[in-house]
Amino acid sequence: MTGTAARRWAELQSGRGVPPEILAQAPADPWAHNPDDFAAPAVAADTPSRDAALALLGEGGTLIDVGCGGGDATFAVAERVRHATGVDRQRDMLELYIADAAARGLPARTVCGSWPESAAEAGTADVVVCHHVLHNVVDLPPFLRALTAAARRGVVVEMLTRHPMVWLDPLWARFHDLRRPPPATDEDAVAVLRELGVTPEVRHWDRERRPPHDPAWVARRLCLPADREPEVAAALAEVPPRSRSAATLIWRA
Ligand SMILES: C[S@@+](CC[C@H](N)C(=O)[O-])C[C@H]1O[C@@H](n2cnc3c(N)ncnc32)[C@H](O)[C@@H]1O
């Protein structure tokens, strides 16, 4: 049975969707992530998520990275990982992941598919990490349950404290006359976990500021054609900077 917190999460996330009439006119997929934006840095940032994963890995262990992208979460703790499995629904992300793993000499494999449907193929590992994926998910309980089930020791989830695209809400109003409902937060995710009988440790922190995305990127997100980019650039100048507020959720399996 779906609990109150899970229903609230699903409603808030559904409110972030793009109406079909706007999507139908989009010149490009507004949801697709560009692998170039997700290449892992050579030297990992020192974060609470990294600390938590290192603690769970102890002297060494296996790891599954759900929604791995270019492997930021994996490679941040590579020195303690004996074998890594990168799971992502975008094949081009997995190509980047496996190439970087090879370059770093880390034994790894990839599973292409959407979580939790791909969980059986991914199998189990000592530690499961999942960074910046929850805000893409509508039906959270099966997603979270599968993270726990895949982990022998524990799970580390990293997320922004509010939906990452909330900074573009003023531009949805301006360009599409679309008023967005409030975004889901890390507290909403924690409430869903509690309904599943899990009380995570939560650490709040600020990510290193990333440069704002360029007008071409934002125009695609807003389902606008390239010839609107100058207008988007002008509008972006009036939008407050993106929040850096992040949360790490840690629980034992
Ligand atoms: C914002 S990126 C984060 C990538 C990486 N974890 C990081 O922190 O840099 C989200 C990634 O999750 C993937 N993704 C989103 N939902 C997913 C799902 N349900 N199953 C598998 N992959 C998913 C996307 O394709 C994308 O590569």
Side-chain angles (χ1 to χ4, degrees), residues 7-62:
R7 276 200 302 278
R8 174 182 161 78
W9 177 275
E11 273 163 28
L12 293 174
Q13 288 293 89
S14 300
R16 302 257 117 215
V18 178
E21 62 279 12
I22 296 178
L23 203 51
Q25 291 170 14
D29 179 355
W31 304 119
H33 292 289
N34 183 349
D36 293 344
D37 295 334
F38 290 97
V43 178
D46 187 14
T47 68
S49 308
R50 179 170 184 267
D51 286 349
L54 286 174
L56 285 168
L57 284 163
E59 291 185 359
T62 56

Side-chain angles (χ1 to χ4, degrees), residues 33 37-38 65-73 87-90 93 113-118 130-133 136-137 143 158 207 210:
H33 292 289
D37 295 334
F38 290 97
D65 187 345
V66 175
C68 60
D72 201 351
V87 181
D88 206 289
R89 62 187 180 191
Q90 267 188 239
M93 290 287 189
S114 203
W115 191 268
E117 293 77 11
S118 55
C130 179
H131 288 194
H132 303 288
V133 186
N136 290 315
V137 180
F143 189 98
E158 181 177 307
R207 293 181 97 195
R210 290 190 171 184

